[in-house]
């Protein structure tokens, strides 16, 4: 099998699974107890918190463990909207966010908040002048993703952070695709809240964290016990937290090598597909894009059919994003960058991983070329 869908999920690293193992049946102590046995679990949780804090140039008390990227996004938006309600009820985001952000914004609108959904240009970039102009006296939060999960475009996060800071508006970024792939420094970027998810960087599914800058208020997302400084109740998922901590540790150690390797594979694929196949459109920026993202729209092609043909050759790829599979609507991201529905439906996303080889990308590109040709010939005969 050739797995080219790392933006949907990544295989858990063996070292991650091994680090979790002792915390299932052997060290099962509750991390919130005071006896020695529970202390083992507590120390493991706090070690993971420290590792993740250092990876972002943050402090351990600013890291809150959650059950994944969607929860972190929900908490960041609802939590700050509620905590700062007396200051204002206006939120700014973009049209290309993940549904975990967009659907939370829709919910906030139902609760009486106003949300500005900024458009993006043909490469998927937010316009900074437009962003700044949309800030109002009652704006409490700007939420712009670090990197887009479909087209890979990396937003100008440092500039957005500076604008937010200058206007004293909170800045949240959904960094689920970026964390572990590219370096992130929350101070340099002026990030107040940041979401990440374990299964997107070789960690366990159902784990994640939210970075909340010291002094930023958020309503509790889960009410109950005093875990996570009383802000996110529930007995800690100790094996999961240990796993996401190990994944973060490995990600930081191997990052520069992975960026180098995957960027070369990505650039080769982009060049080969653009030169060998006529009628193709690269989605996302050519340079400011995630090291592992290849995304093209093909004229006169049904993306879902192309995917099935690739699947028959044991190649796993995606039409737009895992979340939109089976949807009758064209992807909101491709629509926002101006792709007409016809072209948007002819889209193929291939996202590489640390184990992806040159042989695999050669086979994949050959298969794409061959099947696009085949599908176009069939379409012309009809
Ligand atoms: C995968 C993803 C999420 C959701 O994360 P889960 O851990 O699967 O809930 C949110 N945002 C982006 C950009 C993602 O790619």
């Amino acid at each position: 099998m050739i797995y080219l869908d790392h933006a949907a999920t990544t295989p858990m690293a063996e070292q991650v699974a091994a680090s979790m193992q002792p915390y299932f049946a052997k060290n099962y102590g509750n991390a919130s107890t005071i006896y020695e046995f529970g202390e083992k679990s507590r120390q493991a949780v706090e070690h993971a918190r420290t590792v993740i804090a250092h990876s972002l140039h943050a402090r351990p008390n600013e890291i809150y463990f959650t059950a994944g990227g969607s929860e972190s996004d929900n908490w960041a938006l609802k939590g700050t909207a509620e905590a700062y309600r007396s200051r204002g009820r206006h939120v700014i985001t973009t049209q290309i966010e993940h549904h975990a952000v967009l659907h939370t914004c829709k919910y906030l609108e139902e609760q009486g908040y106003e949300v500005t959904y900024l458009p993006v240009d043909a490469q998927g970039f937010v316009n900074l002048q437009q962003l700044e102009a949309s800030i109002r006296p009652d704006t409490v939060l700007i939420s712009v993703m670090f990197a887009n999960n479909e087209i890979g475009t990396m937003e100008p996060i440092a500039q957005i952070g500076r604008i937010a800071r200058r206007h004293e508006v909170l800045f949240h970024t959904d960094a689920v695709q970026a964390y572990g792939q590219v370096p992130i420094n929350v101070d340099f970027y002026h990030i107040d809240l940041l979401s990440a998810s374990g299964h997107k960087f070789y960690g366990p599914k159902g784990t994640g964290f939210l970075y909340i800058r010291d002094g930023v208020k958020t309503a509790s997302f889960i009410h109950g016990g005093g875990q996570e400084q009383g802000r996110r109740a529930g007995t800690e998922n100790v094996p999961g937290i240990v796993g996401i901590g190990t994944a973060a540790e490995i990600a930081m150690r191997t990052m520069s090598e992975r960026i180098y390797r995957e960027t070369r594979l990505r650039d080769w694929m982009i060049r080969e597909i653009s030169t060998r196949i006529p009628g193709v459109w690269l989605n996302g920026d050519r340079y400011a894009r995630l090291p592992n993202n290849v995304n093209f729209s093909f004229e006169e092609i049904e993306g879902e059919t192309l995917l099935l043909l690739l699947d028959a050759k044991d190649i796993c790829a995606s039409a737009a994003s895992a979340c939109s599979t089976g949807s009758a609507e064209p992807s909101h991201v491709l629509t926002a960058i101006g792709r007409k529905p016809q072209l948007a439906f002819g889209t193929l996303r291939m996202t590489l991983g640390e184990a992806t080889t040159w042989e695999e990308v050669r086979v994949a590109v050959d298969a794409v070329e061959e099947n696009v040709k085949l599908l176009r010939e069939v379409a012309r005969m009809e």
Side-chain angles (χ1 to χ4, degrees), residues 20 53-54 81 104 161 185 234 306-307 328 340 359:
M20 294 167 72
H54 288 168
T104 304
N185 181 325
L306 180 58
L307 277 183
K340 297 278 176 282
E359 179 59 19

Side-chain angles (χ1 to χ4, degrees), residues 27 47 58 60 82 99 102 111 117 127 143 152 163 216 228 238 240 245 265 289 298 321 331 365 369 372-373 376:
N27 299 330
H47 175 72
E82 193 182 327
H99 284 134
L102 288 179
Q111 302 301 309
Y117 299 91
N127 180 306
S143 180
I163 291 169
V216 170
E228 302 300 294
V238 180
L265 291 166
R289 74 187 295 133
F298 299 88
S321 76
S331 133
V365 169
E369 183 183 23
V372 166
K373 201 180 279 174
R376 283 176 179 168

Side-chain angles (χ1 to χ4, degrees), residues 7-8 67-71 73 98 100 145 147 149 174 176-177 197-200 207:
S70 300
E71 183 189 322
D73 285 342
H98 190 273
M145 68 202 318
N149 49 305
D174 174 343
V176 171
Q177 290 292 330
S197 169
H199 76 99
K200 299 289 176 76
T207 68

Side-chain angles (χ1 to χ4, degrees), residues 7 150 158 329:
E150 290 188 30
E329 296 286 309

Side-chain angles (χ1 to χ4, degrees), residues 356-374:
T356 306
T357 64
W358 281 100
E359 179 59 19
E360 286 179 329
V361 300
R362 268 188 216 110
V363 170
V365 169
D366 285 350
V368 171
E369 183 183 23
E370 196 179 300
N371 286 302
V372 166
K373 201 180 279 174
L374 177 79

Side-chain angles (χ1 to χ4, degrees), residues 271-324:
R271 203 170 50 240
E272 293 295 307
I273 291 172
S274 327
T275 54
R276 277 157 56 178
I277 310 175
V280 301
W281 300 76
L282 178 69
N283 295 313
D285 190 65
R286 176 67 188 81
Y287 300 103
R289 74 187 295 133
L290 287 169
N292 74 339
N293 180 290
V294 177
N295 185 319
F296 279 99
S297 292
F298 299 88
E299 292 170 7
E300 305 166 75
I301 291 289
E302 183 75 78
E304 299 274 332
T305 316
L306 180 58
L307 277 183
L308 291 176
L309 291 171
L310 293 175
D311 186 29
K313 299 196 165 188
D314 280 338
I315 299 170
C316 305
S318 155
S321 76
C323 318
S324 59

Side-chain angles (χ1 to χ4, degrees), residues 40-181:
K40 263 201 178 78
S41 299
R42 200 181 65 78
Q43 277 175 3
V45 166
E46 293 319 311
H47 175 72
R49 200 187 306 282
T50 303
V51 166
I52 289 170
H54 288 168
S55 73
L56 292 168
H57 303 263
R59 284 169 291 281
N61 68 341
E62 297 174 310
I63 305 297
Y64 297 82
F65 290 114
T66 66
S70 300
E71 183 189 322
S72 298
D73 285 342
N74 270 259
W75 187 12
L77 274 85
K78 293 179 200 166
T80 50
E82 193 182 327
Y84 291 90
R85 189 162 43 196
S86 60
R87 190 191 285 183
R89 292 185 170 213
H90 179 234
V91 172
I92 299 169
T93 188
T94 78
Q95 294 175 357
I96 62 164
E97 298 298 310
H98 190 273
H99 284 134
V101 168
L102 288 179
H103 290 172
T104 304
C105 286
K106 290 284 174 237
Y107 168 80
L108 287 176
E109 285 183 291
E110 286 163 17
Q111 302 301 309
Y113 292 84
E114 273 184 77
V115 181
T116 300
Y117 299 91
L118 294 171
V120 295
D121 67 14
Q123 277 67 47
F125 293 121
V126 164
N127 180 306
L128 294 169
Q129 280 78 39
Q130 208 171 1
L131 171 82
E132 188 156 23
S134 67
I135 297 174
R136 319 190 308 208
D138 62 339
T139 306
V140 290
L141 180 73
I142 296 171
S143 180
V144 177
M145 68 202 318
F146 206 106
N148 185 269
N149 49 305
E150 290 188 30
I151 60 175
T153 296
M154 314 235 298
E155 296 298 333
I157 293 299
Q159 287 93 320
I160 296 169
R162 265 206 302 277
I163 291 169
R165 189 60 58 90
R166 190 157 64 235
H167 292 270
E168 293 179 21
V169 175
L170 293 175
F171 176 35
H172 164 252
T173 187
D174 174 343
V176 171
Q177 290 292 330
Y179 181 83
Q181 278 220 70

Side-chain angles (χ1 to χ4, degrees), residues 212-225:
I212 308 176
R213 181 176 291 282
D214 237 345
V216 170
K217 291 185 287 181
T218 55
S220 292
F221 193 62
I222 297 182
H223 300 275

